[in-house]
Amino acid sequence: MKSFQGKTLSWQVREGTIELSLDRAPCNEIGSETLVELEKFTAALEALQEDAHALIILSTRKEGFCAGADLRELHERSQALGVAQRAAGVRDFLERIHRVMNALDAAPLVTIAAVHGVTFGGGLELALVCDLIIADKMARFCFPELRLGLIPGFGGIPRLKRDLGNAIVRDLLLTGRSIHAAKAQSIGLVGQVVGDGDALRAARTTAAQLGKFDRETAIAAKRFIKPVPYEELRREIDIFCELFTRPAVATGLKKFVESTEALPYLP
Amino acid sequence: MNTLEQTTDEILQLAARHFHVPREQLNASDDFFKRLGINSLQALDLLTRLEQHFHIELPDYELQGVSDFRTLAERIQSRL
């Protein structure tokens, strides 16, 4: 499929670049529907690569790039299941989302996350699979999972460890605080910070520049400098599943979903 | 360094400008969620603008329970 319009995302090839646009209200929360469409995208990627040298992942939602996993869906589905079924359900979801993330991470083209606004949890994990992150100055990054008694489950910790120093990984993970784009650039998470609303334009310009380089060389360079941490990713799934069935997680999810606090996104 | 009053005034000016509320309608004791009519995502947007304006980092957990401009100014002041 050279182009696709789904319920949660769409894609098209534009001047040698695949543009994967997330578009699900309110802020591209990743639930089962998004997962199915992401799987469609990774299945189509091989054919799309024939006409493209780069991939840009972006959001059409003004609120931000992606607020992470769909916790409301997770809570509702978990409530309807027993402990064993709940664990099996979440493992199945994680196995599938990891296959998507791993395919994007290792894709033989240069990948760019063009982010703005909220880039939290699973949204940050999606950005982390990309080779480059270009952020507008209003972007914010956060791993709030510990608030729920969990760790990031879409491959966040192994990829953050791959890219950044352990001290900043601990800071982000253990405090759950959000950081702005300039800070994210200063720690090496973000490559370029651009003006408010300018991330997609900058990503397109960057993708156009990359198109001037020999593609085989670019892919060889990417494979050399960006190994996919498969073993740690497997371990992450196991730890997440071990933690998920604890009562503290159900309590945390319920509290989040039912929260009337002004700042439910804050850890 | 800014006094607390100056910091508060700069916050009020920034909030008024960004959320299109007349400055004279904002007071230091106002609940900024109610006064500006903002949700949690817009509050994060305000936090980012304040961090940029004052050249600080303000961990968002320091804002838990903070809803008025004056207390917000105190939190920012402690980071200047």
Side-chain angles (χ1 to χ4, degrees), chain A residues 125-152:
Chain A
E125 293 175 294
L126 181 58
L128 279 166
V129 302
C130 294
D131 304 331
L132 309 170
I133 301 177
I134 296 178
D136 95 11
K137 66 178 187 179
M138 295 305 296
R140 287 195 83 83
F141 303 86
C142 178
F143 272 135
E145 283 81 358
L146 260 69
R147 174 186 45 162
L148 299 171
L150 289 169
I151 60 169

Side-chain angles (χ1 to χ4, degrees), chain A residues 105-122:
Chain A
D105 198 342
L109 30 80
V110 181
T111 54
I112 303 170
V115 309
H116 66 278
V118 169
T119 306
F120 282 12

Side-chain angles (χ1 to χ4, degrees), chain A residues 20-259:
Chain A
L20 175 64
S21 306
L22 309 175
D23 186 8
R24 182 191 178 215
C27 193
N28 295 319
E29 287 78 3
I30 300 173
S32 51
E33 208 166 41
T34 304
L35 175 58
V36 166
E37 294 189 344
L38 283 170
E39 287 173 328
K40 273 186 188 167
F41 176 71
T42 51
L45 198 51
E46 196 173 341
L48 290 167
Q49 286 159 198
E50 290 170 13
D51 300 326
H53 64 274
L55 162 68
I56 297 173
I57 304 179
L58 63 124
S59 160
T60 59
R61 308 297 308 176
K62 69 175 169 55
E63 293 82 359
F65 179 70
C66 173
D70 186 341
L71 298 179
R72 288 177 202 286
E73 181 185 290
L74 184 61
H75 174 64
E76 283 162 17
R77 292 198 171 191
S78 296
Q79 273 196 317
L81 300 171
V83 173
Q85 288 173 303
R86 204 183 305 161
V90 79
R91 181 174 285 276
D92 178 64
F93 189 96
L94 290 182
E95 296 282 0
R96 290 169 61 196
I97 194 78
H98 271 245
R99 278 196 290 274
V100 167
M101 296 289 197
N102 292 350
L104 293 172
D105 198 342
L109 30 80
V110 181
T111 54
I112 303 170
V115 309
H116 66 278
V118 169
T119 306
F120 282 12
L124 177 49
E125 293 175 294
L126 181 58
L128 279 166
V129 302
C130 294
D131 304 331
L132 309 170
I133 301 177
I134 296 178
D136 95 11
K137 66 178 187 179
M138 295 305 296
R140 287 195 83 83
F141 303 86
C142 178
F143 272 135
E145 283 81 358
L146 260 69
R147 174 186 45 162
L148 299 171
L150 289 169
I151 60 169
F154 296 177
I157 299 174
R159 292 194 170 94
L160 203 61
K161 278 174 66 183
R162 173 181 67 185
D163 295 346
L164 303 182
N166 199 280
I168 191 66
V169 176
R170 293 197 303 274
D171 182 1
L172 292 178
L173 185 70
L174 298 178
T175 69
R177 70 186 179 113
S178 65
I179 57 170
H180 55 60
K183 171 73 176 182
Q185 187 179 35
S186 74
I187 62 175
L189 175 63
V190 162
Q192 300 177 41
V193 176
V194 297
D196 203 353
D198 212 24
L200 178 56
R201 185 208 57 77
R204 283 174 174 163
T205 305
T206 303
Q209 172 65 15
L210 302 173
K212 297 174 187 170
F213 303 154
D214 177 66
R215 185 169 176 178
E216 266 186 53
T217 308
I219 294 167
K222 172 173 171 169
R223 286 192 176 135
F224 179 53
I225 61 178
K226 191 182 174 227
V228 180
Y230 290 111
E231 274 186 35
E232 287 200 341
L233 289 163
R234 295 301 317 164
R235 183 72 187 123
E236 183 193 84
I237 294 176
D238 291 340
I239 294 172
F240 189 100
C241 291
E242 284 165 22
L243 293 170
F244 186 74
T245 50
R246 293 175 318 134
V249 175
T251 305
L253 278 173
K254 186 170 187 289
K255 187 180 168 197
F256 175 84
V257 169
E258 295 175 355
S259 174

Side-chain angles (χ1 to χ4, degrees), chain B residues 15-30:
Chain B
R17 191 168 59 245
H18 183 63
F19 293 104
H20 308 294
V21 177
R23 165 67 183 86
E24 60 274 16
Q25 287 183 15
L26 297 180
N27 295 300
S29 59
D30 285 343

